[in-house]
């Protein structure tokens, strides 16, 4: 049953084209809406079992021989994410029904969205690491498709490519990490890996496994410095931004860290890396968010910073005696999904009703859009962590402060709370900008008269905002069914969660919150005074610029490398080929100590043989200095005829005859062809080039000579020729052993050699007879 | 070019004699190949040499009238003969290209050895003739065309 549930989105995606053509007058989203709603109710039905601490297993064989199977397990953590995916998925589909025009390519949109939904469910429910990886890449691909949904826009394509490159880079690192994990533990199941975590921690690859694993998690969850793809992913339609880039996909990395928390728990390195990167991302993301002028830009950087905050809490939790951190992380995962989802939808509504998302052009919208403004009010103040009991963001932020104070992973731990406060101050500032800038102040120049959004657009953010308020007021209603099972799934302990709004003045976190609010308000009030600081701040080293630099320079570098050696000059290629030949042979001979000279079994040198040999040497040297082609061919012929004389001396009459005739034919053919070529011209070559040629040719000749001598000296077996000599008459019925070998014993070689000759003849015909007339003329 | 053609009487006369001597020698080389130096390859090359000599002496036009076989057909015939010899061994449930031989007593000749390898060599012989003739005639023909075009 669980399998069917995970594959429902994929199966439904397949019938979308059918629905689109058959029922074109109803918005496609209404049909799609059924899928997440159904799944959501299905997952809700497990809540009871989760409270009792049960797990639901389900297995379907895929590649049993490799131990790769669809093993799905629902526990507290999977449950939390499944509910977020399907719940926010339902709201996003509902929102998109009103957001997207029917003229858009809805079939594509919902196809990609369902693909993403199924993939995301697969990621959070898979127990098998390779299946998890498969779904992980599915989310990257579907996210790529969704970001590039308006593919006719340059910026969409740029953003899609960027997110693809970065997340797939991380995905491959993750895959490598998974491979190492399964090698060291001998298992592909996450639960078994957790049981065998000792094997990973004690293995030599531990640091490599950890770093590759975190690369995967950090790229997906947009941690510093890989956060740069997320702001560019804002070119996607707003429902996609709300769904993928705030609530679900960007939390896949968080999920991964939480899922493998038990493996790395207690490892100092893990705790330090995760908390430092998290806290830096928090501070940097919130700092950069203030600079943005685009509503979705602010939200993108805010998402980065909030993800950093969650990641940091997971890092704190890995230190000892910091139990509150994990609870805070889980709580904030939930809260962030509610307020960020609603804020993205609000941004979409503003865009939809006014035609712009630029905060410099927006203003005074409160009078026109009071409902939207109210929704935005709750979203932004919850995000800022404003200390009022109706904002759930405040509760989790305060738990975050508490966790930051308790943190003991670093020696300089005092920096952690300070950075946390600084990050939160900027979070406060951009949240205020996000609310006050578009909704208050004077009306700015807009192309059209803004008015309240249709009710359908408001339903989804309203539901999310109601969650903000309910959990803000009564945080403990989710603590038992959702938070506690999730926390116990992460660190294996069942916590007692009791979230209070008010801790009294003796608590440090409350003072940190007050500091944030006071300084944040001041900074917001006088932002005109200090925001010019951003202009001074050099943008050169921003992650986006580094990315562009890397991508562009990879192209130029590859291009220059290619054009360096792919010159098109055959002479160069030949130099390279010969160079490698000489190099590999020389190294091989040197390493294996392969050179030896043996004087055994050498034929005596007679005067005629020596004379012929010397003549051939002189002829071949003379060929180099010939200034005329014809003369060069004729002198080369001397070598050929010399060879046939040598065959005579060494008693190979068949070879001598063949060599004689073939040499004649080739010289004749050369003469026929070279008749057309221009005279040899002395090419002026630089001295170094000439020297290089001489060196290459001399060393090639030298190395081949060395090998010939060495191969003579290493005769380890008797030759097979004795057999041929004995059986030539009895088996082949001929006295000419060469001919018997050619036609009888190894007739197959001859068969293909004459085939080669036939093909060569046909090739010559086609080259000469069938070439185009124009080529002849030119 | 034709109007300047010289009358190579001595060449033509000697060619008629020498070409057939070469042809005979090439056939000898081919037939003797199994027991003495020679064989299909050398025999084929030699035959081709004889034909080329005829072409040089009498020109392409005359030869085309006398010699009706196209040289590409010879390649095909040769390859088919060689393959058919190989396939023939299947008839006797032997592996591809198995050969056998036997001695026969013929009148006038006496003890005569026949080997199926000779058939294979015949394929080689035809192919080599065909290939050599094709290459030389194609290139030579092309040069004639070019010359006539230029002239």
């Amino acid at each position: 049953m669980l399998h069917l549930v995970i594959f429902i989105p994929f199966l439904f995606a397949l019938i979308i084209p059918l629905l689109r053509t058959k029922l074109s007058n109803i918005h496609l989203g209404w049909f799609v809406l059924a899928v997440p709603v159904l799944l959501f109710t299905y997952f809700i039905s497990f809540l009871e079992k989760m409270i009792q601490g049960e797990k639901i297993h389900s297995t379907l064989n895929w590649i049993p021989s490799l131990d790769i199977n669809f093993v799905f397990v629902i526990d507290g953590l999977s449950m939390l994410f499944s509910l977020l995916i399907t719940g926010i998925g339902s709201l996003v589909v509902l929102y998109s029904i009103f957001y997207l025009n029917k003229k858009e390519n809805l079939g594509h949109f919902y196809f990609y969205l369902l693909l993403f939904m199924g993939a995301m469910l697969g990621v959070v429910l898979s127990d098998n690491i390779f299946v998890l990886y498969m779904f992980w890449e599915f989310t990257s691909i579907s996210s790529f498709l969704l970001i590039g949904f308006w593919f006719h826009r340059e910026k969409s394509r740029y953003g899609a490519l960027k997110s693809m490159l970065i997340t797939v880079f991380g995905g491959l690192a993750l895959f490598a990490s998974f491979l190492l994990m399964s090698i060291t533990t001998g298992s592909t199941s996450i639960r078994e890996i957790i049981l065998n975590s000792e094997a990973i921690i004690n293995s030599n690859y531990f640091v490599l496994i950890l770093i590759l694993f975190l690369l995967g998690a950090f790229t997906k969850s947009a941690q510093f410095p890989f956060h740069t793809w997320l702001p560019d992913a804002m070119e996607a339609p707003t429902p996609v931004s709300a769904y993928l880039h705030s609530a679900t996909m960007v939390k896949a990395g968080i999920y991964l860290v939480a899922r493998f928390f038990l493996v790395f728990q207690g490892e100092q390195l893990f705790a330090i890396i995760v908390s430092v990167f998290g806290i830096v991302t928090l501070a940097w993301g919130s700092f950069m968010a203030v600079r943005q002028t685009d509503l979705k830009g602010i939200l993108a950087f805010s998402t980065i910073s909030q993800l950093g905050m969650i990641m940091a809490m997971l890092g704190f939790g890995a230190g000892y005696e910091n139990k509150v951190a994990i609870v805070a992380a889980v709580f904030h995962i939930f809260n962030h999904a509610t307020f960020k989802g609603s804020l993205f939808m609000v941004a979409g509504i503003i865009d939809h009703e006014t035609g712009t998302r630029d905060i410099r052009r927006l203003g005074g919208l409160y009078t026109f859009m009071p409902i939207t403004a109210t929704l935005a009010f709750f979203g932004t103040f919850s995000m800022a962590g404003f200390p009022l009991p109706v904002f759930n963001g405040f509760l989790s932020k305060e738990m975050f402060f508490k966790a930051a104070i308790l943190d003991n992973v670093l020696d300089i731990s005092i920096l952690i709370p300070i950075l946390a406060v600084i990050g939160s101050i900027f979070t406060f500032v951009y949240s205020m900008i996000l609310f006050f800038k578009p909704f208050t102040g004077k009306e700015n120049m807009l192309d059209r008269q803004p008015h309240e959004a249709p009710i359908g657009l408001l339903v989804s953010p309203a539901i999310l905002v109601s969650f903000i308020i309910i959990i803000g007021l009564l945080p403990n209603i989710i603590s038992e069914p959702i938070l506690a099972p999730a926390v116990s799934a992460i660190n294996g302990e069942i916590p007692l969660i009791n979230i209070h709004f008010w801790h009294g003045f003796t608590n440090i976190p409350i003072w940190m919150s007050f500091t944030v609010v006071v300084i944040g308000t001041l900074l917001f009030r006088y932002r005109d005074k200090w925001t010019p600081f951003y202009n001074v701040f050099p943008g050169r080293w921003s992650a986006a610029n580094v990315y562009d630099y890397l991508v562009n320079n990879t192209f130029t570098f590859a291009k220059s490398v290619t054009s360096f050696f792919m010159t098109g000059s055959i002479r160069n290629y030949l130099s390279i080929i010969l160079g490698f030949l000489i190099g590999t042979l020389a190294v091989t001979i040197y390493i294996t100590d392969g050179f030896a000279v043996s004087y055994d079994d050498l034929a005596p040198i007679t005067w005629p043989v020596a004379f012929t040999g010397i003549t051939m040497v002189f002829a071949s040297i003379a060929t180099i200095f010939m200034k005329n082609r014809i003369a060069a061919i004729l002198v080369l012929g001397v070598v050929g005829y010399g060879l046939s004389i040598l065959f005579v001396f060494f008693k190979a009459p068949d070879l001598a005859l063949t060599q004689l005739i073939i040499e004649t034919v080739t010289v004749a053919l050369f003469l026929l062809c070279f008749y057309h070529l221009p005279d040899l011209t002395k090419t002026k070559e630089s001295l170094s080039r000439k020297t290089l040629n001489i060196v290459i040719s001399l060393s090639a000749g030298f190395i081949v000579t060395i090998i010939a001598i060495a191969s003579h000296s290493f005769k380890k077996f008797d030759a097979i020729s004795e057999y041929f000599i004995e059986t030539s008459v009895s088996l082949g019925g001929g006295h000419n052993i060469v001919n018997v070998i050619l036609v009888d014993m190894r007739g197959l070689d001859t068969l293909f050699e004459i085939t080669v000759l036939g093909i060569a003849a046909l090739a010559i015909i086609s080259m000469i007879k069938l070439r185009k007339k124009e080529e002849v003329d030119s | 070019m034709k109007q300047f053609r010289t009358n190579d009487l001595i060449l033509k006369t000697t060619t008629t004699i020498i070409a057939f001597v070469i042809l005979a020698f090439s056939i000898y080389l081919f037939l003797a190949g199994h027991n003495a130096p020679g064989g299909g390859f050398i025999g084929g090359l030699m035959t081709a040499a004889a034909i080329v000599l005829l072409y040089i002496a009498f020109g392409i036009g005359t030869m085309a009238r006398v010699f009706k076989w196209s040289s590409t057909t010879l390649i095909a015939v040769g390859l088919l003969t060689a393959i058919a010899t190989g396939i023939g061994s299947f008839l006797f449930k032997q592996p591809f290209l198995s050969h056998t031989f036997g001695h026969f007593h013929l009148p006038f000749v006496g003890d005569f050895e026949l080997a199926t390898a000779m058939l294979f060599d015949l394929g080689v012989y035809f192919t080599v003739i065909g290939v050599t003739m094709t290459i030389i005639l194609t290139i030579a023909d092309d040069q004639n065309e070019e010359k006539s075009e230029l002239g």
Side-chain angles (χ1 to χ4, degrees), chain A residues 546-568:
Chain A
V546 172
Y547 166 84
D548 286 337
Y549 178 82
L550 280 177
V551 169
N552 291 335
N553 276 45
T554 310
F555 280 123
T556 28
F557 176 71
K559 220 173 188 172
S560 65
V561 167
T562 312
S563 56
F564 172 70
F565 71 96
M566 299 287 279
T567 49

Side-chain angles (χ1 to χ4, degrees), chain A residues 327 399 402 475-476 479-480 483 495-501 503:
Chain A
V327 181
M399 288 167 81
K402 197 172 163 193
N476 285 318
S479 67
E480 193 192 14
L483 300 187
L496 268 175
I497 301 174
N498 198 6
I499 302 163
H500 293 289
F501 168 65
H503 297 277

Side-chain angles (χ1 to χ4, degrees), chain A residues 204-485:
Chain A
N204 298 330
Y205 304 117
F206 171 69
V207 177
L208 193 63
I209 292 178
L210 180 67
I211 287 172
L212 288 173
F213 171 79
L214 288 179
L215 259 182
F218 284 178
T219 48
K220 198 76 160 183
S221 277
Q223 299 295 298
F224 187 87
F226 307 109
H227 62 272
T228 173
W229 65 269
L230 191 59
D232 285 304
M234 290 302 127
E235 293 302 319
T238 304
V240 172
S241 308
Y243 188 36
L244 273 70
H245 306 126
S246 71
T248 52
M249 189 180 90
V250 288
K251 293 211 178 90
I254 305 268
Y255 167 81
L256 205 65
V257 173
R259 176 52 82 207
F260 285 85
F261 190 80
L262 279 177
V263 176
F264 300 114
Q265 186 185 26
E267 280 303 309
Q268 198 72 5
L269 191 63
F270 173 72
I272 290 173
I273 295 179
V274 174
S275 41
V276 166
F277 272 87
I279 208 88
V280 168
T281 312
L282 162 66
W284 182 252
S286 57
F287 175 70
M288 289 300 283
V290 180
R291 192 186 186 183
Q292 306 301 314
T293 52
D294 177 24
L295 279 180
K296 281 175 86 175
I298 299 175
L299 287 172
F301 276 102
S302 128
T303 304
I304 291 166
S305 120
Q306 303 276 322
L307 291 168
M309 178 172 153
I310 299 169
M311 198 62 97
M313 286 191 269
L314 287 173
F316 300 157
Y320 300 100
E321 294 161 22
N322 200 343
K323 306 246 156 72
V324 71
I326 300 297
V327 181
V330 172
F331 193 31
H332 200 71
I333 289 171
F334 189 91
N335 291 343
H336 177 245
T338 56
F339 63 69
K340 192 53 63 68
S342 65
L343 281 177
F344 266 109
M345 291 174 183
V346 164
I349 290 171
I350 293 173
D351 188 15
H352 203 255
E353 303 306 327
T354 63
T356 180
R357 299 193 310 245
D358 193 333
I359 54 169
R360 287 167 300 192
R361 293 179 63 198
L362 293 166
L365 288 178
Y366 182 79
T367 43
F368 301 105
M369 313 167 81
I371 304 174
T372 314
T374 316
L375 297 176
F377 170 77
F378 282 104
T380 48
F381 277 71
S382 177
M383 180 159 76
F386 200 78
L388 272 182
V390 288
F391 302 121
N392 60 359
F394 167 69
L395 300 169
S396 46
K397 177 148 289 183
E398 196 149 74
M399 288 167 81
F400 165 65
F401 284 145
K402 197 172 163 193
I405 295 164
L406 283 175
D407 180 56
N408 58 358
V409 289
L410 291 177
D411 298 333
I412 41 163
S413 281
I414 185 67
L415 265 181
I416 296 282
I418 290 173
L419 268 176
V421 168
I422 292 174
S424 301
I425 290 169
F426 281 110
T427 305
F428 192 88
V429 175
Y430 72 69
S431 302
M432 293 306 109
I433 293 175
L434 204 54
F435 177 71
F436 286 108
K437 199 69 177 132
F439 290 106
T440 59
K442 61 177 192 301
E443 296 165 45
N444 276 358
M445 48 290 176
L446 285 173
D447 301 336
R448 47 181 150 155
Q449 185 68 23
H451 52 82
E452 189 56 89
I455 190 78
L457 270 180
L458 293 168
V459 171
S460 297
I463 292 173
L464 285 171
V465 164
S466 68
F467 269 103
I468 296 177
I469 299 168
I470 292 169
I471 291 164
L473 288 171
L474 306 161
N476 285 318
I477 59 163
I478 61 160
S479 67
E480 193 192 14
I482 291 173
L483 300 187

Side-chain angles (χ1 to χ4, degrees), chain B residues 74-132:
Chain B
L74 267 179
I75 301 176
V77 169
L79 284 174
L80 273 177
T81 315
I83 291 171
T85 326
I87 291 172
S89 57
F90 289 147
L91 292 178
F92 304 97
K93 307 213 165 165
Q94 295 292 319
F96 186 64
L97 271 177
S98 300
H99 288 304
T100 184
F101 64 96
H103 293 266
F104 302 92
H105 281 281
L106 294 179
F108 308 115
V109 190
D111 183 57
F112 191 76
E113 185 199 330
L114 278 178
T116 50
M118 287 293 283
L119 277 175
F120 185 78
D121 230 8
L122 191 67
V124 176
Y125 177 74
F126 280 135
T127 315
V128 170
I129 297 175
V131 167
T132 320

